């Protein structure tokens, strides 16, 4: 059975097999239901209307209580390549050492070659 999620076919017969675009669940409706179900909560007693700011604050409080901490949320993501840098660091150190040794060998060979050419000229 074919299902097209990202591809939009041109053929009319295949267009019937496309999957509709999934929309995110609206968080404000969920929070509004929570405040209606829990009228004893402090936010519901102060304000009956749920605004996006209130919804975000409620979610942050719920997350803090769930995690068992009252510290601020660290919502900044790590850099996308932090794991690559960690995994490659040892290999790069080894490669840098070998590169330096190869450069030293090339310089030694060039010095020896120049010394031989000078001795041949004399």
């Amino acid at each position: 059975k074919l299902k097209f999620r990202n591809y939009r076919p041109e053929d009319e017969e295949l267009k019937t097999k496309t999957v509709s675009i999934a929309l995110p669940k609206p968080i404000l409706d969920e929070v509004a239901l929570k405040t209606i179900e829990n009228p004893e909560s402090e936010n519901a007693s102060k304000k009956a209307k749920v605004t996006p700011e209130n919804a975000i604050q409620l979610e942050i409080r719920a997350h803090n209580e769930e995690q068992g901490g009252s510290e601020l949320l660290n919502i900044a993501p790590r850099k996308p390549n932090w794991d690559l840098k960690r995994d490659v660091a040892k290999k790069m150190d080894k490669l840098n050492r070998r590169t330096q040794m190869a450069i030293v060998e090339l310089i030694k060979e060039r010095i020896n070659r120049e010394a031989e050419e000078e001795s041949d000229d004399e």
Side-chain angles (χ1 to χ4, degrees):
K1 186 175 179 181
L2 284 175
K3 290 184 181 179
F4 296 112
R5 288 183 172 80
N6 295 330
Y7 176 70
R8 301 291 173 223
E10 297 294 323
D11 187 23
E12 294 298 324
E13 183 179 327
L14 293 177
K15 281 186 179 181
T16 60
K17 299 184 189 278
T18 60
V19 177
S20 63
I21 298 172
L23 298 175
K25 186 172 73 170
I27 191 169
L28 293 179
D29 294 342
E30 183 180 313
V31 173
L33 288 175
K34 283 182 184 178
T35 56
I36 290 171
E37 290 173 0
N38 300 328
E40 66 274 355
S41 70
E42 63 186 52
N43 244 3
S45 62
K46 290 180 183 177
K47 295 182 180 180
K49 184 178 179 182
V50 177
T51 62
E53 292 81 16
N54 292 343
I56 292 169
Q57 292 298 324
L58 285 173
E59 286 296 317
I60 290 174
R61 284 189 194 130
H63 179 74
N64 280 340
E65 291 171 5
E66 184 179 294
Q67 297 299 322
S70 62
E71 65 273 351
L72 295 175
L73 287 176
N74 184 9
I75 57 175
R78 288 185 172 184
K79 292 184 179 178
N81 60 354
W82 69 271
D83 57 337
L84 296 175
K85 286 182 180 180
R86 179 198 63 208
D87 295 342
V88 174
K90 289 181 183 176
K91 293 178 183 178
M92 286 302 294
D93 289 341
K94 183 187 250 185
L95 183 64
N96 286 335
R97 280 193 306 262
R98 288 184 179 179
T99 303
Q100 291 298 322
M101 289 177 15
I103 290 172
V104 168
E105 286 295 319
L106 289 173
I107 292 173
K108 284 180 182 178
E109 287 176 10
R110 190 176 86 200
I111 291 173
N112 288 339
R113 195 175 339 115
E114 290 175 355
E116 288 176 9
E117 288 177 0
E118 286 180 10
S119 64
D120 290 339
D121 290 342
E122 293 176 358

